[in-house]
Amino acid sequence: MAPTTTGPATAAATGHGHAPREAGALSFFVAQNVRHAVPVAAVRTVVQGVIAPELARAVVSHPDVALAAQTALTAYSLGRRVVSQIHSESSAQVANQAFSGDVAQRDNNLPRRLWQGVQSAGIAGGDFAALALTIASRSHPALAGVAQSAAAIQVVAHLQAQFREALRPAINTVHVGNGDRNVAQPPEGRNLRPADVTGAMRGTFGAAAAAIDMGAQLLMQRTLGGQPAWQAARGLAVGAGAIAGVGNMLTSSVEDHLVDTASARRMQQTDPSHVRHLHVDLRNPFTRNELGRQAERADARVFNTMVPGLIALGVVQALQSTLTQPGVSTDQRQAAQAGVHALVAGLVGGTLLALTVASYQLNDTVRSRNAAQRTAAQRAQP
């Protein structure tokens, strides 16, 4: 899904001498993966390969410790969600416009608030389900396995999202648009409308997410010998976490590649020199502006990890009686479990792509607007 025009040649023809050089699809995708190597792959390796197995073990060996950790995660999640809502409501018209990608929707709160409500319910529901299973497993040992799985999903969803957003601004390798002052800028910047996230784009991302997840699940099962990570040796769990990290990196790069390409296509309606290009940018991720933008983006990532993870867990549990029949081989059982995870990941990811994009651009736009206001206020001081 490459942009329809090339930047330098067209820009030269229209007098835009500082147009960036358009990146090819392969180099742009490789650069996306470089950008995601630490905040996605490395973080997922540590969270899923080290922290999650320890919490899952504690569900059985030290249930009070596990329950305390899960309760703290749940409380932190609720607090972050409140902060997120306050953040967007403080600039409701800006948030509405960014969410829809359309200035005509500035006064329409309903779509944004409805989706934020769904996110809040999904995250809170997942948190409380994981807590309830840990509590129930204390008196019903048969529930220990599913409680451990739910606790692992919960901690991966929250910590992966939070650390990813904390580290995300540190390095950037790609950019979309032409920042030259002499070039006309789109009124909505890089923001997309729901219509810009086409059915083909959703299908492509869903299929890619499913294929990557299927491969990662099978490789992790091979690495762990068919056991859960918390029952395997710690070194094997870290190896499985690294596989999950690479899969997560690839999936995130596919998502961003599709979104950035769509952004370039829309921006080129204003000026053809707005292209996707390589751009190295190092920033301090712990400034006020960067810390302030993390809450809502983290919420979207938690939802997109926790909800499909718990859905897949529920489906696999429902199929247990079938998968454990004598005629089902280990390879068949592992393939079926991986297939369930992949199918859910692809369906949820593809279906929610437009809403995920809207959530990100809402947060980024409100943050940018608030930062600009603070800068203007500082300049106005005598």
Side-chain angles (χ1 to χ4, degrees), residues 23-375:
L26 180 59
S27 61
F28 197 72
F29 183 70
V30 170
Q32 294 278 18
N33 281 281
V34 171
R35 179 166 71 104
H36 290 137
V38 172
V40 181
V43 167
R44 186 65 176 260
T45 298
V46 174
V47 172
Q48 186 160 332
V50 180
I51 299 174
E54 293 300 333
L55 179 62
R57 290 186 190 101
V59 169
V60 173
S61 62
H62 299 85
D64 289 339
V65 173
L67 192 58
Q70 289 177 270
T71 301
L73 276 177
T74 301
Y76 178 75
S77 175
L78 290 172
R80 185 185 61 224
R81 188 69 209 100
V82 171
V83 171
S84 298
Q85 201 65 38
I86 292 173
H87 184 237
S88 56
E89 296 300 337
S90 67
S91 305
Q93 288 187 325
V94 175
N96 295 338
Q97 180 178 342
F99 185 80
S100 64
D102 185 356
V103 67
Q105 299 297 317
R106 283 178 62 88
D107 296 319
N108 187 2
N109 292 309
L110 182 60
R112 171 180 62 83
R113 288 178 177 169
L114 180 61
W115 177 239
Q116 288 173 327
V118 170
Q119 277 191 325
S120 297
I123 295 170
D127 283 329
F128 286 114
L131 277 171
L133 284 166
T134 297
I135 294 170
S137 68
R138 302 175 74 165
S139 55
H140 298 84
L143 293 175
V146 68
Q148 289 176 300
S149 295
I153 291 169
Q154 181 188 26
V155 73
V156 167
H158 283 293
L159 296 189
Q160 161 77 12
Q162 199 62 63
F163 287 125
R164 172 175 177 165
E165 283 306 313
L167 296 174
R168 174 178 170 270
I171 180 171
N172 189 26
T173 56
V174 297
H175 189 65
V176 175
N178 183 358
D180 193 313
R181 295 180 180 179
N182 297 318
V183 175
Q185 300 296 320
E188 300 297 338
R190 298 176 62 233
N191 290 349
L192 298 175
R193 297 160 298 190
D196 296 319
V197 183
T198 63
M201 188 173 163
R202 291 190 185 98
T204 299
F205 176 65
I212 293 168
D213 192 78
M214 183 74 176
Q217 290 288 335
L218 290 173
L219 285 173
M220 286 190 291
Q221 289 177 346
R222 293 285 185 183
T223 300
L224 296 169
Q227 304 177 88
W230 46 92
Q231 293 179 3
R234 284 179 168 83
L236 295 180
V238 173
I243 293 169
V246 171
N248 200 169
M249 177 185 72
L250 290 171
T251 302
S252 295
S253 296
V254 171
E255 178 184 20
D256 285 358
H257 187 88
L258 292 169
V259 171
D260 286 345
T261 299
S263 294
R265 185 181 297 112
R266 185 180 183 192
M267 293 177 77
Q268 286 167 359
Q269 296 173 7
T270 300
D271 190 282
S273 68
H274 291 294
V275 296
R276 60 186 190 187
H277 56 276
L278 305 185
H279 172 83
V280 178
D281 177 26
L282 303 176
R283 282 183 288 170
N284 178 5
F286 303 111
T287 63
R288 177 180 177 180
N289 286 347
E290 296 301 337
L291 291 172
R293 69 153 177 80
Q294 291 178 17
E296 280 162 340
R297 292 185 67 104
D299 282 337
R301 296 197 189 283
V302 170
F303 183 90
N304 288 352
T305 301
M306 182 181 289
V307 171
L310 291 176
I311 291 173
L313 174 61
V315 174
V316 169
Q317 289 301 310
L319 295 174
Q320 276 300 99
S321 60
T322 301
L323 296 177
T324 54
Q325 288 181 356
V328 179
S329 69
T330 299
D331 287 344
Q332 289 174 325
R333 182 169 61 255
Q334 291 179 357
Q337 291 172 341
V340 168
H341 280 274
L343 181 61
V344 173
L347 285 175
V348 174
T351 301
L352 298 183
L353 182 59
L355 290 166
T356 299
V357 170
S359 297
Y360 294 161
Q361 61 192 34
L362 177 162
N363 180 268
D364 292 344
T365 303
V366 172
R367 171 185 60 88
S368 298
R369 185 251 194 190
N370 291 345
Q373 286 184 331
R374 284 196 298 271
T375 300

